[in-house]
Amino acid sequence: MLEPLAARYATWLGLPAQSTVDTSDEDPATVRAMPLVLRIERQDPAPRTALLEAAATASLAVCLAPEAEPEGEWHEEIRLWLDNRIRKVSRRARGAHWDAVQELPGITVSHQGAQVRALVPGLVAESPKVLSRLQISGSELPDDTPGPPPDDRPVLWLNPEVEMTVGKAAAQVGHATMIGAALLPPADLARWSDQGYACAVRTATRADWAKLHPGPNPATAWRERRVAAVRDAGFTEVAPGTVTVLFSWPH
């Protein structure tokens, strides 16, 4: 399902820094996105890191679910989304609103006290009311200190020089798991599937970021170090061309 991403990855990273995406010809009625619904309760909200890890897993799980396969009921919607600009929109929900979105097609991931539901992508203009009434803003959570990442799963390293809301970061780590899965050989992807697509999210130090960054040759970085990058289109919060997340597969 994710093969188109592998083909586009190197081309996109090879663009000049601060490249913009021309959307002048885009009809708003045709814009598609994957909604990510983050459960953020008023009292005792989930830790930021756990929420991002759940979002990263849920985003990929929808794309690789049995329903996404050629004969599955989600296949056409996901294919149409992947064939265009790959957008995600994060929204927050609590209480009855969280319960209501469980009725929409998608996958909920629960992880260390956090819950995220990734929904099947669709036309933004045709979002059901139960979804469109959920707020996009106001989903900020304080940074936490999760400790060193486990060594048995991929790590999604956040750019230490870029500030992102939890909603923006959730979308970016979701992009990262999708790119990583698109590039992995079948045996590694199968092993990751057996782990439920578990991953770790951490903020890199500036020194580690510089060491990990693929630089001008992303194909070599992936082949030799199993590192891939998410380069943002600049629609929200960050400048076009910003590398927001690095996906690092364990050796």
Side-chain angles (χ1 to χ4, degrees), residues 67-148:
E67 294 89 343
E69 295 179 359
E71 302 303 320
E73 58 186 307
W74 300 350
H75 178 80
E76 187 62 13
E77 290 292 344
I78 295 175
R79 184 192 66 77
L80 289 170
W81 174 60
L82 290 174
D83 282 348
N84 291 278
R85 298 181 178 106
I86 299 173
R87 291 184 170 98
K88 295 184 179 72
V89 177
S90 299
R91 299 178 183 270
R92 63 179 174 89
R94 59 173 65 100
H97 288 169
W98 170 256
D99 294 337
V101 297
Q102 304 308 303
E103 302 301 318
L104 300 176
I107 292 176
T108 295
V109 170
S110 299
H111 170 68
Q112 296 182 353
Q115 288 185 298
V116 174
R117 186 165 182 82
L119 301 178
V120 175
L123 291 168
V124 174
E126 296 180 2
S127 296
K129 288 185 178 180
V130 69
L131 180 64
S132 61
R133 69 187 179 188
L134 301 179
Q135 292 187 6
I136 298 176
S137 61
S139 59
E140 196 44 48
L141 293 170
D143 289 334
D144 51 9
T145 52

Side-chain angles (χ1 to χ4, degrees), residues 55-67:
T57 296
S59 299
L60 180 58
V62 167
C63 296
L64 298 181
E67 294 89 343

Side-chain angles (χ1 to χ4, degrees), residues 1 28 50 53 69 88 93 102 109-110 115 138 145 151 164 183 186 195 212 214 218 249 251:
M1 194 70 205
E53 290 172 346
E69 295 179 359
K88 295 184 179 72
Q102 304 308 303
V109 170
S110 299
Q115 288 185 298
T145 52
D151 58 9
M164 294 183 283
L183 297 173
Q195 294 177 310
L212 286 165
W249 181 254
H251 293 288

